[in-house]
Amino acid sequence: MESSDEEDDFPSHEWITPQSRINSIYQSQTEKGIRKLCSELLDLKDAVENLRGNMHLKYLAFLRISEEVIEMEHELVELQKHISAQGILVQDLMSGVCRELDMWTQASNEAQESELDVQDPAFEDPAPAPALLDERKAEFLETMDVLLAEHKVEEALLALEAEEKSSPELKENGDNSSSEPSLFKVAILKRKAMLVDQLVGIAEQPSISIPELKKALSGLLKLGKGTTAYQLFLKAFGSRLQKNIDNFLPSCSLYSETYSSTLSQLVFSTISLVAKESGLLFRDMPMYTSRLEQWAEWEVESFVHLVKENAPVSETTVALRAASICIQASLTHSSMLESQGLKFSKLLIVLLHPYMEEVLEMNFRRARKMVLDLAVDEDTVPLTHQYGPPLSPSASSTVMLTGSGVKFMSFVTEIVEPLTPLAISHFGGAILQRLSQLFDKYIDTLIKVLPSPSEDDSLSELKEPMHFRAETDAQQLALLGTAFTVADELLPLAVSKIFYPQTEIKDPESGSTENSQTPFANNPVEYKDWRRQLQHSLDKLRDHFCRQYILSFIYSREGKTRLDARTYLDSKAGDIYWDSDPLPSLPFQALFARFQQLASVAGDVLLGKEKIQKILLARLTETVVMWLSDEQDFWDVFEDESADLQPFGLQQLILDMHFIVEIAVCGGYPSRHVHQIASAIIARAIRTFSGRGIDPQSALPEDEWFVSTAKAAINKLLLGTSGSESSEMDEDHIIVHHEVSDSEDTVSSLSSEQSAETFVSATMGEAESPVSLSDSES
C-alpha cells in the first residue's frame, strides 16, 4: 500500500527503494503539477480573453467619447461665437441708449434756450434753428425706414447718397469735434447695414438675372462693401454654371465622345463672362483679379473631375476619342482666355495627363492582347490574299497582306484615327513609342507562326499550341512581306498625322483656308529614330526566318549535315583546275537550287516588292557563310590529324566560297559582309591546309580563275548545260524541295530556261541596295 507520509514511503530499514515505487510516486506528483499548471493556464487564458474583451469595449467607448468631445468642442465654439455676438449687440444697445439720452437732454436744453431767444424781439439769427435741423433729420430717417420697409433699395441708395453729400457730419472727412459719432450718424449706419442686408439678399436669389445682379452689386460697391460684392459675384456665376452642368450631366451618356467638349464650352465660356463682367464692375483691381484666378482654377479642376467621372470605359476606342476631344476642346477654349489675362493651358495638361495616359495604356493593352491572340487564331493568318490599301488612297495601289496584317493595321487605325491635333501635340511621343512596342509584339507573333530552327517533335507537347503554322515557302514569304509592307508603307502612313498633322492656314486676303503639313514642336520622337525601332523589329523577324531556313537546309531530319567538311576530303578526286567542267560541291549546287526556287516563289508572292526579295536573299547568303565561319565541328574535321587533306579539298572549298559570293553578285544583292566572311573562311582554310603540308602556291590557281569558274558554274546551272552532273548528285543534297516547299521538282527541273528567266528577273534587275535596311552590311 502507498502512504502519504514520506517516512512510510521510504522506510529507514530499506536501503534500496524499488524503481517502480519511485516512478509511481514522482509520476503522481508530476501529474498533479501538470494538472495544476494546466488549470492555471486556463485561468490565465480566461483572464486574457476577459481583458481583451474589456479593452475592446473600452476602446469603443473611448472612440464614442472622443467623437462626443469633438462635437462638444464644436458646440462650445459656436456658443462662444453666439455669446460674443450677443455681447456686441448689448454693448451697442447700451452705448446707443446712452448717446440718445444725452442727445435728448442736450436737445431739450437747446430748445428751451431758443424759446427764450425767440421771445426777445431784438434778437435775430440768420442761421436755421436746431429744432428745424432735427426735424429734417427725423424726416429723412423716417423716409429711409419707409423705403427699407418697402424694399425700394434703389431709391434708398439715391436718398442716402444725397444725404451724405449734403450732410457734413456723414462725410468720412467731415469736421466733427466730438470723438464719438453723432446720434444721427449712428442711425444712418444702422440703416445702411439694413440696406446692405437687403442687397445681399437680392444678390443671393438663385433666379436673379444678370442685370439685377449687377445693380445689387453696384449698390454694395457704393456702400463700401466691395469684398462682399465680389464674393456674391463669383458665387452667383458659380451657381449658374453648376445649374447648367447639372442639367447637362444626365445626357452625357448619349454623347459619350463629345460630352467633354460641351462641358468645356460651359465652363470656359462662364469663366470668360465672369472675367469680362469683373472688369466692368470692379475695374480689374489686383485684389479682385487674384480672387478671379483662384475661382477659375477651382472650376477647371472641377471640370476635369467631371470629365473623368463621366468618361466611357478606358479600354474602348470611344474613351480614346472622348479624351482626345476633351484635350482639343479644353485647350482651344483655354487659349481664348489668354487675351483676358487668364492662362490655364499648363494646368489643364497637368490635370489631364494622368487621364489621357490611362486611356492610352488601356487601349494599347487591349491591342497587345488582340495581337498576341493572332498567333493562336487559325483564321487570322491565312494564305496570302490581295487587299486594297486600308488607310488612304495615296498608298500603293496593290498591297499584298495576310489576314494578320490587315487586323494589325485595323488595331493601329482604331488608335490613331480618334486622335485630335492638340492631343497629338502633347501625347504624340508616348503614342509613337507604344506603337513601336505594339509592332514588336506583332513581330513576335509572326515568329511564333514561323517554324523554329530548334523545333523537335519530342518537345512539341511543351510548346504553346498553334492552330496554324507557316510551313511552305509561300506562306512564310507572305508573312515576311506583310511585316515589311506594314513597317515600310502602312504604319508610317497611319502615323503621318502624328509627325506632320494637318493644320489649317487662313489666307487673310481671300478668306480661304488651305491645309498644310507642319511638324509639331512638342513631339519628342524623331521620325528616323522611330523608323529605326521598326527596323530593329523587322531585323529580328528576318534573321529568324533566314536562320531557320538555312538550318533546315543544312540539317536533315535524321540529324545529318549537308554542308559536311568530309566533302572536301575525297582522296579519289583529281585537281579541279584541270577539270574540263569544274562545278561547286553538291551541297552548294543544292543551295543554289533552293535560292532559285525561293526567288521564284518570292516573285509571285512578293510581286512588286523587289527590295524585300533582295533583303531576304542577301541575309540568307550571309547566314550560310556565317554558319560556316562559326561552326567549329566543320573545322574540327580539317584539324583532325587523321584526316587526309588533299589539294582538291582546298580548291573545292575556295571555289564554293567564290560561288556563294557570285550568287549574291549575280542576284543583284552583293554584300560586303558576305565578301569579308568568305575571305576569312578562305584564309582560315589556307592556313589549315598549309599546316598539314599542302603548299597553297602550287595547289591554288589565280583568284581570277575561281571568279570566272564560279560565274561559269552559275550560267551552267541556270541554262541547264550541266544536266549530266546534276543527275549524278546525291539524292540527299538535291531533292530538298520535298521538305520545305510545295514543289516536287528537282534541281534538274530548276535548270530549265523558264526557271533561269524567273531567277534572273527576280534578282538581276536594278533596284535600290538593301544596305540601308540590313544591319549586317556596312
Side-chain angles (χ1 to χ4, degrees), residues 364 368 427-440 498-499 523-526 529-530 533-534:
F364 274 98
R368 286 195 296 269
F427 298 94
I431 295 170
L432 289 173
Q433 289 291 345
R434 286 181 167 91
L435 283 176
S436 62
Q437 295 171 5
L438 184 64
F439 180 73
D440 191 69
I498 298 180
F499 286 104
N523 192 357
V525 179
E526 294 291 339
D529 296 337
W530 183 73
Q533 295 175 6
L534 299 183

Side-chain angles (χ1 to χ4, degrees), residues 30-43:
T30 304
E31 184 177 358
K32 291 179 180 179
I34 292 175
R35 290 180 181 277
K36 183 178 180 181
L37 182 60
C38 291
S39 177
E40 292 177 353
L41 289 175
L42 290 174
D43 294 339

Side-chain angles (χ1 to χ4, degrees), residues 665-700:
V665 173
C666 295
Y669 48 90
S671 171
R672 288 191 294 271
H673 195 207
V674 173
H675 192 276
Q676 292 172 358
I677 298 176
S679 300
I681 292 174
I682 293 173
R684 182 174 180 180
I686 291 175
R687 290 195 303 269
T688 302
F689 278 77
S690 298
R692 299 295 300 278
I694 297 177
D695 184 13
Q697 297 294 333
S698 59
L700 299 179

Side-chain angles (χ1 to χ4, degrees), residues 19-33:
Q19 184 66 35
S20 59
R21 179 176 290 277
I22 294 175
N23 292 339
S24 63
I25 293 173
Y26 282 99
Q27 185 175 2
S28 62
Q29 292 180 353
T30 304
E31 184 177 358
K32 291 179 180 179

Side-chain angles (χ1 to χ4, degrees), residues 150-375:
E150 296 178 355
H151 292 277
K152 297 181 179 180
V153 292
E154 294 183 6
E155 297 179 8
L157 277 173
L158 293 175
L160 183 62
E161 185 177 1
E163 183 64 23
E164 287 180 345
K165 290 181 179 179
S166 61
S167 179
E169 62 178 323
L170 296 180
K171 297 181 180 179
E172 293 182 356
N173 56 351
D175 297 333
N176 195 355
S177 58
S178 61
S179 58
E180 294 183 357
S182 64
L183 184 62
F184 178 67
K185 188 172 184 179
V186 171
I188 291 296
L189 291 176
K190 289 183 179 180
R191 285 155 180 78
K192 184 183 291 186
M194 295 173 62
L195 182 59
V196 168
D197 292 339
Q198 289 188 6
L199 291 173
V200 170
I202 294 173
E204 288 182 342
Q205 292 180 3
S207 59
I208 187 174
S209 62
I210 292 181
E212 293 177 351
L213 175 66
K214 292 169 66 174
K215 290 180 180 179
L217 297 179
S218 299
L220 290 174
L221 288 175
K222 292 178 181 179
L223 295 174
K225 300 295 181 179
T227 303
T228 303
Y230 205 80
Q231 291 178 351
L232 293 172
F233 172 73
L234 296 179
K235 182 179 178 181
F237 278 94
S239 299
R240 294 170 64 88
L241 174 61
Q242 188 62 43
K243 183 179 180 181
N244 294 333
I245 291 176
D246 292 339
N247 293 333
F248 173 72
L249 285 180
S251 61
C252 285
S253 58
L254 302 178
Y255 308 97
S256 55
E257 291 186 359
T258 58
Y259 77 96
S260 59
S261 178
T262 305
L263 283 177
S264 175
Q265 176 69 27
L266 291 175
V267 172
F268 286 97
S269 61
T270 302
I271 294 176
S272 177
L273 179 61
V274 169
K276 179 180 178 181
E277 296 295 340
S278 175
L280 295 175
L281 281 175
F282 302 94
R283 306 300 179 187
D284 292 332
M285 295 180 64
M287 177 182 64
Y288 299 141
T289 302
S290 176
R291 292 191 177 185
L292 173 62
E293 291 177 353
Q294 294 176 2
W295 175 82
E297 289 178 359
W298 185 86
E299 292 294 344
V300 169
E301 293 176 1
S302 300
F303 158 72
V304 175
H305 183 68
L306 283 174
V307 169
K308 294 179 180 179
E309 280 187 346
N310 296 274
V313 180
S314 298
E315 62 181 3
T316 60
T317 308
V318 177
L320 182 59
R321 179 65 177 172
S324 300
I325 291 178
C326 175
I327 293 173
Q328 181 74 26
S330 58
L331 289 178
T332 302
H333 294 151
S334 175
S335 63
M336 296 178 181
L337 295 178
E338 294 182 359
S339 60
Q340 296 176 280
L342 300 175
K343 298 180 180 180
F344 301 110
S345 299
K346 293 183 179 179
L347 176 63
L348 277 170
I349 291 300
V350 171
L351 295 175
L352 290 173
H353 187 271
Y355 167 57
M356 187 66 178
E357 283 290 334
E358 178 185 357
V359 174
L360 285 175
E361 179 60 28
M362 296 303 294
N363 272 268
F364 274 98
R365 186 177 299 178
R366 175 178 57 87
R368 286 195 296 269
K369 182 179 179 181
M370 292 188 291
V371 166
L372 292 177
D373 291 341
L374 294 178

Side-chain angles (χ1 to χ4, degrees), residues 65-78:
I65 293 173
S66 299
E67 294 176 356
E68 292 176 358
V69 168
I70 293 174
E71 294 177 359
M72 187 63 68
E73 288 179 353
H74 289 305
E75 292 179 359
L76 288 175
V77 171
E78 294 296 331

Side-chain angles (χ1 to χ4, degrees), residues 341-640:
L342 300 175
K343 298 180 180 180
F344 301 110
S345 299
K346 293 183 179 179
L347 176 63
L348 277 170
I349 291 300
V350 171
L351 295 175
L352 290 173
H353 187 271
Y355 167 57
M356 187 66 178
E357 283 290 334
E358 178 185 357
V359 174
L360 285 175
E361 179 60 28
M362 296 303 294
N363 272 268
F364 274 98
R365 186 177 299 178
R366 175 178 57 87
R368 286 195 296 269
K369 182 179 179 181
M370 292 188 291
V371 166
L372 292 177
D373 291 341
L374 294 178
V376 295
D377 190 353
E378 60 183 355
D379 295 330
T380 57
V381 193
L383 294 176
T384 308
H385 295 285
Q386 185 167 345
Y387 292 89
L391 298 177
S392 172
S394 62
S396 58
S397 58
T398 302
V399 180
M400 302 292 287
L401 290 179
T402 60
S404 64
V406 173
K407 289 198 173 185
F408 175 79
M409 288 309 304
S410 68
F411 302 153
V412 174
T413 304
E414 287 179 357
I415 293 174
V416 175
E417 274 192 350
L419 300 176
T420 57
L422 288 179
I424 292 173
S425 174
H426 294 280
F427 298 94
I431 295 170
L432 289 173
Q433 289 291 345
R434 286 181 167 91
L435 283 176
S436 62
Q437 295 171 5
L438 184 64
F439 180 73
D440 191 69
K441 292 292 182 183
Y442 172 61
I443 293 299
D444 292 339
T445 302
L446 297 184
I447 290 176
K448 292 179 181 179
V449 176
L450 293 175
S452 175
S454 59
E455 284 182 351
D456 191 352
D457 295 337
S458 62
L459 299 177
S460 60
E461 296 181 357
L462 301 178
K463 293 181 176 293
E464 183 180 354
M466 302 293 294
H467 297 282
F468 177 81
R469 283 286 185 183
E471 299 291 346
T472 64
D473 289 347
Q475 291 172 339
Q476 296 177 22
L477 289 175
L479 292 178
L480 267 71
T482 296
F484 275 84
T485 301
V486 168
D488 283 350
E489 299 180 19
L490 301 183
L491 197 54
L493 180 62
V495 302
S496 59
K497 64 182 294 187
I498 298 180
F499 286 104
Y500 297 97
Q502 294 288 337
T503 57
E504 288 188 353
I505 300 178
K506 187 173 182 180
D507 189 355
E509 296 181 358
S510 62
S512 61
T513 60
E514 59 180 0
N515 291 332
S516 65
Q517 291 186 343
T518 56
F520 269 126
N522 293 338
N523 192 357
V525 179
E526 294 291 339
Y527 183 74
K528 292 182 179 179
D529 296 337
W530 183 73
R531 289 297 299 268
R532 192 176 295 113
Q533 295 175 6
L534 299 183
Q535 186 61 43
H536 178 73
S537 300
L538 279 179
D539 292 343
K540 183 170 59 174
L541 176 64
R542 179 204 61 193
D543 293 344
H544 175 85
F545 167 77
C546 295
R547 184 168 59 253
Q548 64 87 15
Y549 192 87
I550 295 301
L551 292 181
S552 65
F553 167 77
I554 294 175
Y555 296 102
S556 64
R557 295 191 178 274
E558 294 77 12
K560 297 180 181 179
T561 304
R562 290 191 176 92
L563 293 182
D564 194 344
R566 293 177 179 82
T567 305
Y568 305 101
L569 301 181
D570 188 1
S571 60
K572 298 179 180 180
D575 194 335
I576 65 172
Y577 181 70
W578 302 104
D579 192 348
S580 60
D581 194 13
L583 288 173
S585 60
L586 296 179
F588 280 89
Q589 294 183 45
L591 181 65
F592 178 71
R594 283 287 291 271
F595 283 1
Q596 270 188 287
Q597 180 164 353
L598 186 65
S600 178
V601 176
D604 296 333
V605 176
L606 304 176
L607 183 62
K609 305 293 181 182
E610 289 80 8
K611 181 171 65 174
I612 301 176
Q613 300 177 39
K614 292 178 181 295
I615 291 173
L616 293 178
L617 292 172
R619 187 58 179 173
L620 286 170
T621 309
E622 292 179 11
T623 306
V624 173
V625 293
M626 288 172 64
W627 182 88
L628 286 174
S629 177
D630 298 335
E631 185 62 25
Q632 188 58 37
D633 293 340
F634 180 85
W635 296 99
D636 289 342
V637 175
F638 297 136
E639 297 172 358
D640 188 1

